[in-house]
Amino acid sequence: MLRRLAKFCFDLRTLGRRRDPVLPIQQPKLHPWPPLHIEKRVGQCCEHCLKRKKKRRRDQLLLILLIILLLYLLGNTVALDILTNTGGGSTSTSNSDSNSNSNSAILSANQQLCLSEFEINAPANATLYPCSTCLPTLQVISSAYLNAHAQDATQVQNAIQFCALRSVFVEANGEGQSSLGNGGWMQTVDVCGWSGVDCDGSGRVSSLELNVPGIPTIVPDQLGALTNLQTLQVVGDNQYPAGSLPSSFTNLTALATLELQATGITSIPDGLFDSLKNVTSLTLEKNVQMSSTLPSSVAQLPMQNLVITNQVLTNPLSTLLNSTSIQSSLKLLDFSTTNMTGSIPASVSSLKSLVELHLDHNDLTNPLPSSFPSTLEIIDLANNTGLSGSVDGSFCALGALQQCDMTGTGLKAAGSCGVCQFS
């Protein structure tokens, strides 16, 4: 009802009004856009760009090769560390290699690893080479393999010599290591360039001279690995090297000259010279802690020079002079200042090659031998207060004699005694 009333009122209000016609809305006319002229440019690569790409590729290749090399070296190092740090690994490894390679013409895995480590890593840092593991491992490589592989044989020899001499450096105190380091020790793996070390034409260590302060506190067992060593000279400070000569010295079968001066060494193994059959010169001087007994095996050597001075010595003359090898070879005998007692055996005349005899500053007593070797040129019996009497003939009759000192004794010449001097 209300809707109808509202509609009626609206119609009355709009009655008589004119409605405007409704015109349709026209869209404005749009003109077409002109076509876009886009020129496609052909890509150009300058010479500089090509060089940059080549350099990038080359750098990437070098990086890959470097990563491969580092991984290889890391693998070697880790493997050797495992061998070094494994409890009992050194002994069991060397025994295993010895059993498996004694007659083999191939290398074991451990031997290959030690050899590679020495060739690749050791030259850059010699101190890191694991000698405790690799020395016994390389020592048992078969001669069959070494004879068939000359290049590897040289590297094996170099590694063994390096480890043997490195032990000297390791056993030295701080002052000793400093002195050795100044002489090139441990600066490189080329031991032939180290001070006091001489090598033959094949690069084998033939001579070793150690002088204070560049000395070890003990004589290391590893020195026995220098199987081509011919001369060994050690001059200490009366305290070091201490201890005794290691049993491994029996491996030094090429040794011809052994000289120990002012060391703290207490003893020389009695049977040492049963193995060292080529020793022709032995010098023991001022080794105040050394045993007074000369190893009995010395008498079997073709000794030419035997010098023991300024240390206590129990008279070994009777044993030595009865040795046929000593009788034919000995040229120099010096037992001066050794507190030696007893007498000079008559068998001294059997020394057919003796040139010098020094027995001065001892406690020798009569009787004096009636004859001495005709080859003798120098004789010194000075300061043996227990010698007395008149000398008739004996050394006075030696035609080759050039020096003769009897001062400080009770001896007197019965007649002419050539160049001899008496008190």
Side-chain angles (χ1 to χ4, degrees), residues 131 135 160-172 177 180 185-186 194 216-224 226:
C131 283
L135 178 57
I160 290 175
Q161 294 184 155
F162 167 78
C163 286
L165 292 173
R166 180 191 175 189
S167 67
V168 173
F169 183 88
V170 171
E171 295 297 345
Q177 289 188 354
L180 291 170
W185 285 60
M186 299 306 296
W194 296 2
T217 56
I218 62 171
V219 179
D221 184 70
Q222 292 87 340
L223 272 186
L226 298 177

Side-chain angles (χ1 to χ4, degrees), residues 268-281:
I268 297 176
D270 188 64
L272 176 64
F273 297 102
D274 288 335
S275 300
L276 308 187
K277 300 181 183 300
N278 292 314
V279 173
T280 58
S281 179

Side-chain angles (χ1 to χ4, degrees), residues 176-192:
Q177 289 188 354
S178 177
S179 176
L180 291 170
N182 291 336
W185 285 60
M186 299 306 296
Q187 307 301 312
T188 172
V189 295
D190 181 15
V191 299
C192 294

Side-chain angles (χ1 to χ4, degrees), residues 294-296 298-300 306 316-324 326-327 330 333 335 351:
L294 186 67
S296 59
V298 169
Q300 308 305 317
L306 181 55
L317 290 177
S318 295
T319 302
L320 288 175
L321 301 184
N322 288 325
S323 167
T324 55
I326 293 291
Q327 290 175 358
L330 193 63
L333 179 61
F335 286 167
L351 299 178

Side-chain angles (χ1 to χ4, degrees), residues 243-262:
S244 60
L245 292 182
S247 59
S248 66
F249 263 45
T250 57
N251 297 325
L252 303 180
T253 54
L255 195 66
T257 300
L258 176 60
E259 183 173 341
L260 303 175
Q261 294 185 34

